[in-house]
Amino acid sequence: MGLLDPVVEAARLLRSSRYAIVFTGAGVSAESGIPTFRGSGGLWRRFRPEDLATPEAFQRDPRLVWEWYAWRIKMVLEAEPNPAHRAIARLEEAGLVKAVITQNVDGLHRWAGSSNVVELHGSILRVRCTRCSYRSNLARVPSEIPPRCPRCGGLLRPDVVWFGEPLPRGELERAWREAGKADLVIVVGTSGVVEPAASIPLIVLSHGGSMVNVNPEPNRYTGLADVEARMTAARFFSLLLAELGLGDV
Ligand code: OAD
């Protein structure tokens, strides 16, 4: 691929695909001001996941965990989709992308207008009760920390997947189905180290599909992808839309 322009090459693959999907991680939201997990400025550089993002941490100190989530919820509520989210939605509208599978919990793909979205790691803008079946969306940071269930008084928790927890069954199955159908996956802004999510793009390769890897840094898919786009998500998707004649974002 080397000398060919990765954007031109990605556009060619997308145009000739039958069923293209997009697989995203924290990097797609970096340009919306939401910190990633690994790498410089990453959350796991400043915080220990085992203190904040495990069921044990929550049992030990729900207030500490909730304070951290309250900070992140505020950040997500203040963030907006960036050109990458908007372009991905535009590509779905144009029929060139069939599904978005994301590891992100920020809801920005849906907000940007993507409709077939699989959220593998839940949503930071939802809470659920640790005792009963109560679930609710969050429009603001909870005023009481830790928040309590209005139905049974139990502790509410963020409706996200923590380390050591299984992924939501329905979402994981949808992701497998989408990857099973796909002949092209555009992987955007993920290090590719958290399983089982990170294996989903590999399903596409395993049945002969192609991969475009969009990331300013090398990652787990470097060397496996047909096209390496060593640039930020917003830059790649802006160039891609222009190349496809789909206008600006
Ligand atoms: P990581 O923080 O591991 O990786 C972010 C990736 O985005 C890195 O490869 C960066 O090089 C890349 N990146 C940074 N800025 C970018 C930009 N502007 N455009 C494109 N790429 C950029 O985040 P994830 O791979 O999403 O799990 O992490 C996977 C999971 O680990 C998360 O879903 C979370 C975390 O623990 C749970 O919450 C369960």
Side-chain angles (χ1 to χ4, degrees):
M1 211 73 1
L3 295 175
L4 286 175
D5 179 339
V7 176
V8 172
E9 205 40 32
R12 188 187 65 75
L13 283 174
L14 196 53
R15 274 200 219 93
S16 59
S17 68
R18 270 181 307 96
Y19 201 97
I21 61 172
V22 176
F23 178 82
T24 67
V28 78
S29 296
E31 287 156 286
S32 292
I34 300 175
T36 61
F37 293 94
R38 300 166 186 85
S40 64
L43 293 173
W44 298 149
R45 289 282 180 98
R46 285 189 280 162
F47 305 101
R48 289 170 4 125
E50 56 274 34
D51 291 341
L52 297 164
T54 64
E56 294 74 25
F58 188 68
Q59 252 177 1
R60 201 166 46 233
D61 195 344
R63 171 176 297 274
L64 174 73
V65 170
W66 259 112
E67 274 164 4
W68 192 64
Y69 273 93
W71 172 69
R72 288 182 57 206
I73 289 166
K74 184 164 178 288
M75 228 159 22
V76 166
L77 287 170
E78 285 167 359
E80 286 181 12
N82 68 54
H85 299 105
R86 292 200 297 271
I88 292 166
R90 181 85 61 86
L91 291 171
E92 185 183 355
E93 218 176 282
L96 287 168
V97 159
K98 308 294 188 204
V100 180
I101 302 170
T102 188
Q103 300 163 87
N104 299 345
V105 296
D106 56 35
L108 290 179
H109 284 299
R110 266 189 235 277
W111 183 4
S114 289
S115 60
N116 190 18
V117 182
V118 180
E119 290 181 324
L120 288 172
H121 291 162
S123 169
I124 203 170
L125 298 178
R126 260 192 336 252
V127 288
R128 66 181 157 91
C129 184
T130 53
R131 202 191 284 164
C132 74
S133 60
Y134 178 81
R135 252 195 172 83
S136 170
N137 291 325
L138 284 179
R140 61 189 67 84
V141 178
S143 46
E144 178 203 2
I145 296 283
R148 297 248 158 213
C149 177
R151 202 185 284 163
C152 77
L155 267 180
L156 293 179
R157 60 164 280 179
D159 196 7
V160 298
V161 176
W162 282 330
F163 286 98
E165 292 184 319
L167 272 57
R169 188 86 218 154
E171 295 297 283
L172 190 55
E173 280 170 1
R174 272 179 67 209
W176 280 331
R177 261 203 312 277
E178 295 294 354
K181 286 192 272 191
D183 56 355
L184 172 65
V185 59
I186 307 180
V187 178
V188 191
T190 180
S191 55
V193 298
V194 173
E195 294 294 352
S199 290
I200 287 167
L202 302 178
I203 297 175
V204 180
L205 292 183
S206 73
H207 60 248
S210 308
M211 182 188 282
V212 175
N213 187 26
V214 183
N215 202 308
E217 306 286 336
N219 65 0
R220 197 256 181 94
Y221 310 102
T222 303
L224 298 173
D226 300 270
V227 178
E228 276 294 316
R230 235 8 113 68
M231 59 185 91
T232 74
R235 179 166 168 72
F236 172 80
F237 280 102
S238 303
L239 293 171
L240 182 68
L241 279 203
E243 178 67 26
L244 290 166
L246 291 173
D248 270 349
V249 269

